Amino acid sequence: MIIEKILNNNVLLTKNAKGKEIIVMGRGISFNKVAGDAVDQEKVDKIFMMSTNELTAKLTELLNDIPESHLELVNEIVTHANEVLKTTLSDNIYLTLTDHIHFAIQRHEKGLGIKNAMLFEIQRFYKKEFQIGLDVLQIIERSTGHALGEDEAGFIALHLVNARMDGTEMKSTMKMTEIVQNILNIVTYHYNLVLDETSLNYSRFLTHLQYFAMRVLRKESHNSGEDFLYNQVKKTYTKAFECAGKINDYLQNTYGQSLSKDEYVYLTIHIQRVTERNSFEE
């Protein structure tokens, strides 16, 4: 590998055998080196290969302004998150989370805290990601000495959710969370009850709503054109169907979108399940 660009004594940009740009880290790997020199393979500690050269370029630019230790920190976090979530997060997480954590540490040094207005919803809707966020606070404190608060755990959780959604913009992730909350509010008020958030049916409903909200934001709609099930749930689950109608009104008024018959069916069935045996009245 030949050095394409030196970022600092410990980080450089090069290309692998397939000609793909990669970021290489290693103690003193760039010391007394210039572009065009061969990479000292014995000093290579970590290699970051992004999915696109554009992401690599952005991460390279970011590393000009922040300590490489913050990228190493995020690498540890991503490895932990992938193991817990049993998934592979989008490469974009290396860019967004590294930038966020660097900024969070800077704010903490200056005594500037930011309240997370969505903390309660994040704790409820993204329990696994929030728990990882709490784990990350310990990793950050161990690595940097900075003890960040729960608000930051919430922000980190949103970055993880965002990275699971194929790199959808954070603004969309927050809007998706808002849609889920509003639909749950509609169900709660329609039935005048508190849903049991520990139940399996609630967990299923929540998962359905998260993907449903994603489709709303992407303006995707699925409709098989099958009327039989639609007519059956309308007749069998009258109250749940009425609740789905209120959700439809909300979507029309807010996003100019209507539920397809398939979505009516799935929402009605989920609402029936979550309000039937796994809830209790206030």
Side-chain angles (χ1 to χ4, degrees), residues 128-138 153-154 156-157 160:
K128 284 186 179 180
E129 288 85 354
F130 183 71
Q131 182 55 56
I132 294 171
L134 294 176
D135 295 342
V136 169
L137 297 188
Q138 295 181 12
I156 291 165
L160 296 175

Side-chain angles (χ1 to χ4, degrees), residues 66-188:
I66 69 171
E68 69 267 14
S69 60
H70 289 178
L71 178 57
E72 293 181 34
L73 181 61
V74 169
N75 184 54
E76 181 181 352
I77 291 166
V78 170
T79 299
H80 173 61
N82 283 335
E83 289 174 354
V84 174
L85 298 173
K86 294 180 174 56
T87 187
T88 300
L89 297 175
S90 164
D91 282 347
N92 200 51
I93 191 78
Y94 288 100
L95 182 68
T96 59
L97 191 55
T98 303
D99 188 43
H100 176 84
I101 287 177
H102 173 66
F103 185 47
I105 290 173
Q106 281 188 320
R107 283 191 281 102
H108 189 261
E109 288 174 341
K110 297 174 182 176
L112 302 173
I114 295 180
K115 283 292 180 186
N116 191 332
M118 299 179 69
L119 185 60
F120 179 66
E121 286 79 8
I122 294 167
Q123 288 172 318
R124 289 174 64 204
F125 300 158
Y126 309 116
K127 292 181 180 179
K128 284 186 179 180
E129 288 85 354
F130 183 71
Q131 182 55 56
I132 294 171
L134 294 176
D135 295 342
V136 169
L137 297 188
Q138 295 181 12
I139 294 172
I140 292 173
E141 185 172 8
R142 186 188 71 229
S143 301
T144 69
H146 291 278
L148 307 180
E150 274 197 351
D151 289 287
E152 282 301 330
F155 288 128
I156 291 165
L158 277 183
H159 278 285
L160 296 175
V161 173
N162 193 48
R164 293 186 78 178
M165 300 297 178
D166 301 322
T168 308
E169 301 229 358
M170 182 65 72
K171 185 177 179 182
S172 296
T173 302
M174 295 175 72
K175 181 60 70 175
M176 186 178 78
T177 305
E178 181 183 315
I179 292 172
V180 172
Q181 177 63 71
N182 287 336
I183 291 175
L184 286 173
N185 286 343
I186 290 170
V187 175
T188 297

Side-chain angles (χ1 to χ4, degrees), residues 191 230 233-234 237-246 264 268:
Y191 282 87
Y230 175 82
V233 299
K234 182 178 181 180
Y237 306 127
T238 307
K239 191 168 184 178
F241 190 85
E242 289 175 357
C243 187
K246 290 183 179 179
Y264 249 111
T268 299

Side-chain angles (χ1 to χ4, degrees), residues 1-6 9 11-15 24 28-44:
M1 294 188 291
I2 303 300
I3 298 174
E4 298 279 326
K5 183 179 180 181
I6 292 174
N9 281 341
V11 188
L12 58 82
L13 183 69
T14 184
K15 290 181 180 178
V24 175
I29 197 169
S30 308
F31 184 67
N32 281 339
K33 297 281 188 177
V34 296
D37 287 349
V39 176
D40 187 344
Q41 301 282 354
E42 292 184 357
K43 291 186 176 181
V44 174

Side-chain angles (χ1 to χ4, degrees), residues 124-125 179-188 191 193 195-197 199-213 240 243-244 247 263-275 278:
R124 289 174 64 204
F125 300 158
I179 292 172
V180 172
Q181 177 63 71
N182 287 336
I183 291 175
L184 286 173
N185 286 343
I186 290 170
V187 175
T188 297
Y191 282 87
L193 53 76
L195 301 176
D196 180 4
E197 297 179 11
S199 73
L200 180 59
N201 281 340
Y202 180 87
S203 178
R204 288 169 176 160
F205 187 39
L206 195 57
T207 300
H208 177 78
L209 289 182
Q210 288 165 346
Y211 285 101
F212 171 71
C243 187
I247 294 170
E263 288 162 344
Y264 249 111
V265 168
Y266 293 129
L267 266 179
T268 299
I269 291 172
H270 275 291
I271 292 168
Q272 178 66 24
R273 283 176 176 171
V274 82
T275 58
N278 296 296

